[in-house]
Amino acid sequence: QVQLVESGGSLVQPGGSLTLGCRVSRFPIDSQAITWFRQAPGKEREGLVCISKSDGTVNYPNSMKGRYSISKDNVKTMVFLQLSSLEPEDTALYVCAARRYGLSMCSARATDYVSWGLGTQVTVSS
């Protein structure tokens, strides 16, 4: 299966911005749908946004309410998540996940994803 490694998480002040990266290896990015999730302490895992060759970009209902965007660089094999207007409630572990090779349909169900990175921590605090 594809392998994923996240990067870019850090401590950021409220109102700040951050770009997270998800390095995809073993298979091309366009071989499967890739979604960013986040997991905050005491809260359920939340799907944010998916990118795939067939669906383009798919935003899922979540509490961030569009304060993010997703992009990819096929040459660098990276999927990026740009976060903006960050709030303390955005503090969470941000994780990218991929569906099985060949499945390019996006899904908000975490159980539809077979490859997960370890995540990168984003802490929003003054």
Side-chain angles (χ1 to χ4, degrees):
Q1 299 294 339
V2 68
Q3 293 181 341
L4 308 170
V5 178
E6 301 89 342
S7 60
S10 70
L11 172 64
V12 61
Q13 292 188 342
S17 300
L18 204 59
T19 297
L20 308 182
C22 173
R23 181 170 298 280
V24 181
S25 60
R26 296 193 67 188
F27 295 111
I29 290 176
D30 289 339
S31 297
Q32 61 280 304
I34 295 175
T35 288
W36 279 97
F37 292 86
R38 71 177 185 175
Q39 179 81 60
K43 296 184 179 179
E44 293 186 359
R45 181 165 43 196
E46 187 174 40
L48 299 178
V49 59
C50 175
I51 191 166
S52 79
K53 186 175 182 179
S54 63
D55 294 350
T57 297
V58 177
N59 291 286
Y60 302 128
N62 57 71
S63 58
M64 285 204 76
K65 300 180 181 179
R67 292 180 288 110
Y68 56 83
S69 61
I70 193 170
S71 62
K72 63 176 180 173
D73 185 325
N74 285 28
V75 174
K76 296 181 180 179
T77 66
M78 293 286 292
V79 176
F80 300 100
L81 181 68
Q82 292 89 22
L83 306 173
S84 61
S85 302
L86 286 164
E87 303 171 352
E89 293 73 26
D90 298 319
T91 295
L93 183 69
Y94 288 72
V95 185
C96 59
R99 298 201 69 180
R100 184 173 56 85
Y101 176 83
L103 292 181
S104 61
M105 182 177 295
C106 289
S107 171
R109 292 193 302 266
T111 53
D112 285 340
Y113 292 81
V114 298
S115 298
W116 294 79
L118 296 179
T120 186
Q121 178 67 36
V122 174
T123 301
V124 184
S125 175
S126 55

